[in-house]
Amino acid sequence: MVEFLDVLTPEGLHTGLSKDRNLVHKDGDYHRAVHVWVYSESTAELLLQKRAYTKDSWPGLWDISSAGHISAGDTSLESARRELQEELGVDLPSDAFELLFTYKQNDILNDGTFINNEYNDVYLVTTLEPIPLEAFTLQESEVVDVKYMGWKNYKEVIAKKDPDYVDYELDGGYGLLFQTIESRYDADPKARIASLKKQLSRYSPVTLRGELSGLSEGDLFALVYTIRAAKILEKIFTEQEWCVNPQLKSWLEKKSTASEIDKLKYAYYMINKSPWSILDENEAFLSTADSAIILVENAVKPVSGWKGLEYKAAFPVHKPPVANFYPRDMDTKEFELWKATLSAEDQAKAVDFFTLIRRSQPKLCDLQIVPYSVEYLHNLKQASALLDKAGDSASTPSLKKLLKSKAKAFLSNDYYESDIAWMELDSQVDVTIGPYETYEDGLFGYKATFEAFIGICDEEATSQLLLFSNHLQEMENNLPMAAEYKSTNVKASPIRVINLVYNAGDCKGPQTVAFNLPNDDRIVKERGSAMVMIRNISEAKFDCILLPIARVCIEESQRCFVDFNSFFTHTICHECCHGIGPHNIAVGGKESTVRLELQELYSAIEEAKADIVGLWALHFLLDKGVLPQGKEKAIYVSFLAGCFRSIRFGLEEAHGRGQALQFNYILDKGGFVAHEDATFSVNFDKVRGAVEDLSREILTIEAQGDKPAALELLTKYAKLTPELSRAFASLESVQVPVDIAPTFDTLNSAAYLNAGRRID
């Protein structure tokens, strides 16, 4: 049977053509292949196969555990699984395969008649013990023998170019395989303990409390049920991060008391809720070597006395942009090609907040749409039942309405009515629960993660904030952008100030001080949005982080201007400004949204917009006399100090990336000034003009849905500059925390525990 391969460009992109395998090698066309290495942890050995003597390339030589072309229309991951099964008789699920790297191979063999220009996806399968040799079923046309060999010995024979082994380049090629193994298994345990302690020290532990004494009995019961539902959503979010994340979490928890390093691994995992460190540009602080052990009894032929194949559940070194919303080997081009074949109705479902994309068959573009209510049915049924009980218990009508409607939404996958109920919430118990933010979808920014923020309303502070929501239309009218892009129908945004008593789900790493929801552009257009400010989180961040940052990074004469009220007021304005500016736009004569046009760049651009326009808006309100006079300097200097706080979150995180864009832009325009002692100050004569210019540029990008311009702006300014590096080195030297790690004392209060016992 003729095998066809997809032809690639020299840069590795699909040309849209496929050719006979023999012609591909005759003509030297670029194509793709998979290499699968099987590694035994206990013996530190790699599995090698001896290629059949009839092969047209490298006959009779020792080579990779298994390898093969990716046939036309096939996916990389499925090809890796298939080759391992066909050549060696090893049948493993996809979570055993870790994609380590891709490298380009160029060889000319057989007197120039066989040209191998190949992009190789290199996978690693990590087993606990060697697979017994008698358990393999060899494909005679491909493989004549197998053996295990110590990885260091194998590296030596490759370096010496032993003629019995297929030759691979160690520099820029297979060297990364050996570097990966060495870093995982030969690392100094003391150094790793020190590294984990240092990573943990960047989070300052804080205890948060909320006052429950003013709640009615019914609302207190509703609070208990809602927190229980939130704990169920934590399970869903864990699954949304990566396919084996739930197994990894359980494994780390189980082992957390075994040793100091196991305790540290679990502690840092619980902050990041995944193996990737948010503050380190989502680099993995764990590896597949740390992962859960999974037993597959029938992966190979049975062998007497052997219980079966045990492997480590795999995850990649770099956080995948697909998370667990899309197939792990799907890219943007495949998605767009598939989406173009759908009806208009299904195209909308494909980019909906509350659907996943899965493969119906292991073929390119053979995708299907799966609603959250189907994928997460088991957990959503439990959470829905708890929210239903919470709604039955609640004595406050708007709280009852929210909880009952959210319970229905979990099962119907229609969140419109429950989001309206959330906007209308007027209750001492403040509940935000469900799928909302889309930051974790690094591919497009379409898919929402589950989260819960449960707090007690600060009614006095809430009443003081009405002036912001009452001026949104006036701010929209005066935004620094062309009049044609301005809305004449901005809705006043309700603002609620709460003290947080519990959070769950997508609340990992740096803690949010506020949020503006919902993200449904239909609701924003019809009703605007609502804001929740978390006062006790804001106070903890100001005391533990912003003041110490100011003492290090702000020029001495301006440190006196850093105050909590200015920090908190800008946070309010930031959230307000999510609700103004472009949302529903027209691109090329067609209706669209900023989110759909900017795709994976949307989160960083939108956070930058809310931040910088929020700063612009504060000065606008000062000019109007809405805010007290004399606060201008405090607002700008507090904002400058806050830049360092947010950028330290990392440039892979939307807030950090957006903040770096603003800081570097204003510095470039002279609004901020860098001093030789690595401190900074505000140039009050230039900062306002720089803020207005950047606001105009970002607002125009959003209004025009101009993704290339967004990318250009982020590329130019959203980076770690020498000035920032010096500032961060100063902060590192005095060990200023980057963020806080909250625990919730309210859950241990007598009122909460007694209420829990009464409803059980």
Side-chain angles (χ1 to χ4, degrees), residues 554-561 637 675 679-682 684:
I554 303 301
E555 193 270 328
E556 185 175 3
S557 67
Q558 292 192 357
R559 289 173 196 163
C560 59
F561 295 122
V637 179
H675 302 284
T679 64
F680 295 80
S681 62
V682 177
F684 297 112

Side-chain angles (χ1 to χ4, degrees), residues 463 465-475 491-495 576 621:
S463 65
L465 299 182
L466 289 175
L467 64 94
F468 289 96
S469 61
N470 290 340
H471 286 81
L472 284 183
Q473 184 64 64
E474 189 176 9
M475 287 192 286
K491 309 296 181 183
S493 295
I495 305 176
C576 284
L621 293 173

Side-chain angles (χ1 to χ4, degrees), residues 292-553:
I293 297 172
I294 298 178
L295 170 65
V296 182
E297 296 180 357
N298 57 353
V300 293
K301 286 190 304 188
V303 174
S304 178
W306 185 58
K307 63 180 179 180
L309 194 157
E310 291 180 294
Y311 69 89
K312 292 291 187 73
F315 53 85
V317 172
H318 300 283
K319 188 174 187 292
V322 296
N324 199 20
F325 302 117
Y326 309 92
R328 55 190 277 194
D329 55 355
M330 188 200 82
D331 59 20
T332 56
K333 184 172 183 179
E334 181 186 355
F335 179 86
E336 296 294 356
L337 287 172
W338 166 73
K339 185 164 77 78
T341 68
L342 303 178
S343 65
E345 180 181 359
D346 283 342
Q347 285 190 15
K349 290 178 181 177
V351 301
D352 188 75
F353 290 123
F354 316 124
T355 63
L356 300 163
I357 307 300
R358 295 290 185 247
R359 291 203 185 279
S360 51
Q361 296 292 331
K363 294 286 185 182
L364 291 175
C365 295
D366 203 344
L367 304 171
Q368 62 179 343
I369 302 165
V370 181
Y372 282 8
S373 56
V374 174
E375 181 82 2
Y376 308 124
L377 178 61
H378 174 71
N379 284 320
L380 286 177
K381 283 179 70 174
Q382 296 180 52
S384 175
L386 287 165
L387 288 187
D388 205 44
K389 291 179 180 178
D392 289 338
S393 301
S395 54
T396 301
S398 64
L399 178 61
K400 181 185 291 289
K401 180 180 179 181
L402 169 64
L403 296 171
K404 299 291 277 188
S405 62
K406 193 67 72 172
K408 292 179 181 177
F410 282 173
L411 302 183
S412 69
N413 216 50
D414 183 353
Y415 288 86
Y416 183 87
E417 293 299 330
S418 67
D419 282 344
I420 296 294
W422 178 81
M423 292 188 66
E424 296 174 345
L425 181 63
D426 182 13
S427 166
Q428 281 186 283
V429 176
D430 196 276
V431 176
T432 302
I433 189 166
Y436 283 107
E437 302 292 5
T438 63
Y439 302 123
E440 293 303 293
D441 178 356
L443 206 61
F444 295 110
Y446 293 155
K447 306 305 177 185
T449 48
F450 281 86
E451 62 183 47
F453 291 87
I454 302 163
I456 304 300
C457 183
D458 184 333
E459 295 180 350
E460 180 180 355
T462 297
S463 65
Q464 295 172 353
L465 299 182
L466 289 175
L467 64 94
F468 289 96
S469 61
N470 290 340
H471 286 81
L472 284 183
Q473 184 64 64
E474 189 176 9
M475 287 192 286
E476 174 82 17
N477 294 343
N478 288 275
L479 284 175
M481 67 175 177
E484 64 192 276
Y485 301 135
K486 295 177 183 179
S487 171
T488 59
N489 191 32
V490 174
K491 309 296 181 183
S493 295
I495 305 176
R496 309 194 291 264
V497 181
I498 69 169
N499 287 303
L500 192 67
V501 298
Y502 189 74
N503 64 8
D506 192 0
C507 53
K508 62 179 190 172
Q511 296 295 295
T512 186
V513 296
F515 47 87
N516 180 293
L517 296 171
N519 287 323
D520 188 329
D521 290 308
R522 297 172 302 167
I523 297 177
V524 173
K525 184 177 181 179
E526 295 166 7
R527 289 173 168 254
S529 56
M531 284 158 276
V532 174
M533 319 297 301
I534 310 177
R535 188 177 184 90
N536 54 355
I537 289 280
S538 297
E539 290 172 339
K541 285 184 181 248
F542 184 81
D543 292 340
C544 296
I545 299 159
L546 202 69
L547 282 179
I549 284 176
R551 287 191 286 266
V552 174
C553 294

